[in-house]
Amino acid sequence: MPDIKGTDIVEILIIAFLVYHMLVWMRNTRIWSLMKGIVVIVVFIIIAALFNMNTILWIVQNVLSIAVIAVVVVLQPELRRALEQLGRKNFLSGIFPFDISGGEGRFSDRTIDEIARACVEMAKVRTGALIVIEQEHSLAEYEQTGIEVDAIVTSQLLINIFEHNTPLHDGAVIVRGNRITAATCYLPLSDNMNIGKELGTRHRAGVGVSEVTDSLTIIVSEETGKISVAYGGVLDRSLDSESLKERLRQIQNKTEEEHKHRPVFRGRVKAE
């Protein structure tokens, strides 16, 4: 037996950590189904090797390089999403916890109140809505799919945008700071198989954009009138006005002094 050094143990732990998180990530993507198919093919190749099926083994050897390229092409959306998630992680923020933002934060308290008021009013009459709040990751590519608005965030404007049979009601609204930048924007749909079958395209789009960006998305259901929030690929449902405001305050990025004057959040709303 070779001598085991401290660095060997560290390497084993790092590899185990990476493999575990890769498996967790793959389980909620199409890669998991693809892996099952690959396992079947590997078992078939082993059987062919045991029984000396030379023709099959020759075909496998010549097709292997092409198969690797085909897998990369098929899984391009998932691989891109994984790299984007890795790129969004700020490893230096924990080491150098400085804040260069202004005192008001990413958006004002008035904007929080206006968004919450609009969502509650739309929920009462079951008007569907999809509002994406931008953080560090730019949403410019999704703005280009919609119509430019560039207006101050108000509850009346949001309600009018999502009113039935209006030109801008279909699609998502993107909010940057205290302004609505665009409406009728198209968002990527999530392929997370854990999302309930009763949830429609609006919820799947809200979760989808939260998986590929650091945005927070508010969804008002047209069928149930419930308010949901998607953040980091996780969907929280049945939020009321106060819990919605608290979720917005969590990404407001205010200074430490202003945090002291915030109301205490009494608990996180669980998904149904």
Side-chain angles (χ1 to χ4, degrees):
M1 291 293 291
D3 295 333
I4 299 178
K5 302 177 182 179
T7 54
D8 297 329
I9 297 175
V10 173
E11 283 184 319
I12 293 172
L13 293 175
I14 291 174
I15 293 172
F17 176 81
L18 293 175
V19 170
Y20 170 76
H21 282 279
M22 285 180 62
L23 291 175
V24 170
W25 169 70
M26 288 190 299
R27 187 169 184 177
N28 295 325
T29 65
R30 290 181 296 175
I31 298 180
W32 192 252
S33 300
L34 185 65
M35 288 293 292
K36 296 177 182 178
I38 292 176
V39 169
V40 173
I41 294 175
V42 169
V43 171
F44 178 75
I45 293 174
I46 293 174
I47 293 174
L50 291 175
F51 289 94
N52 295 322
M53 300 178 180
N54 296 323
T55 304
I56 293 177
L57 294 176
W58 178 84
I59 293 174
V60 170
Q61 290 175 356
N62 287 273
V63 172
L64 185 61
S65 59
I66 302 175
V68 171
I69 297 174
V71 168
V72 172
V73 172
V74 170
L75 299 179
Q76 184 269 339
E78 282 76 12
L79 295 175
R80 177 186 174 186
R81 183 180 307 162
L83 292 175
E84 286 177 340
Q85 291 174 349
L86 181 62
R88 291 201 312 270
K89 293 183 181 297
N90 191 353
F91 297 103
L92 296 178
S93 61
I95 304 174
F96 305 105
F98 51 84
D99 184 11
I100 60 174
S101 62
E104 190 177 69
R106 189 166 282 115
F107 42 80
S108 66
D109 290 337
R110 180 181 179 277
T111 296
I112 292 177
D113 293 336
E114 293 292 332
I115 293 175
R117 185 181 301 115
C119 291
V120 170
E121 292 300 320
M122 288 187 289
K124 289 179 181 178
V125 295
R126 297 193 177 185
T127 298
L130 189 57
I131 305 171
V132 186
I133 315 295
E134 183 184 81
Q135 292 200 81
E136 300 298 332
H137 192 284
S138 174
L139 299 177
E141 63 176 300
Y142 304 113
E143 290 178 14
Q144 295 173 2
T145 65
I147 298 174
E148 184 179 359
V149 177
D150 191 23
I152 295 292
V153 175
T154 64
S155 58
Q156 294 89 345
L157 178 56
L158 287 171
I159 292 172
N160 286 335
I161 287 175
F162 290 110
E163 187 65 33
H164 295 288
N165 301 321
T166 56
L168 300 180
H169 84 282
D170 191 19
V173 158
I174 293 179
V175 175
R176 177 182 296 119
N178 296 311
R179 304 187 71 84
I180 298 173
T181 60
T184 70
C185 300
Y186 292 99
L187 304 178
L189 299 181
S190 172
D191 57 2
N192 189 336
M193 292 177 286
N194 292 328
I195 298 177
K197 300 297 183 182
E198 74 279 5
L199 300 179
T201 305
R202 185 175 287 111
H203 289 80
R204 196 166 283 277
V207 175
V209 73
S210 75
E211 290 174 340
V212 298
T213 70
D214 62 351
S215 62
L216 182 143
T217 306
I218 304 171
I219 308 109
V220 180
S221 173
E222 187 175 352
E223 289 74 22
T224 64
K226 293 181 179 180
I227 301 173
S228 305
V229 165
Y231 186 69
V234 178
L235 182 68
D236 287 343
R237 302 174 62 190
S238 301
L239 276 69
D240 57 18
S241 177
E242 288 305 315
S243 56
L244 175 58
K245 289 180 181 179
E246 180 57 31
R247 292 303 301 272
L248 291 171
R249 292 189 191 104
Q250 290 173 358
I251 66 167
Q252 193 177 7
N253 200 25
K254 277 194 173 183
T255 60
E256 200 62 36
E257 183 65 25
E258 294 182 49
H259 272 286
K260 298 177 182 178
H261 301 288
R262 292 183 179 178
V264 178
F265 186 42
R266 292 183 173 82
R268 184 180 180 184
V269 177
K270 299 293 184 180
E272 292 184 342

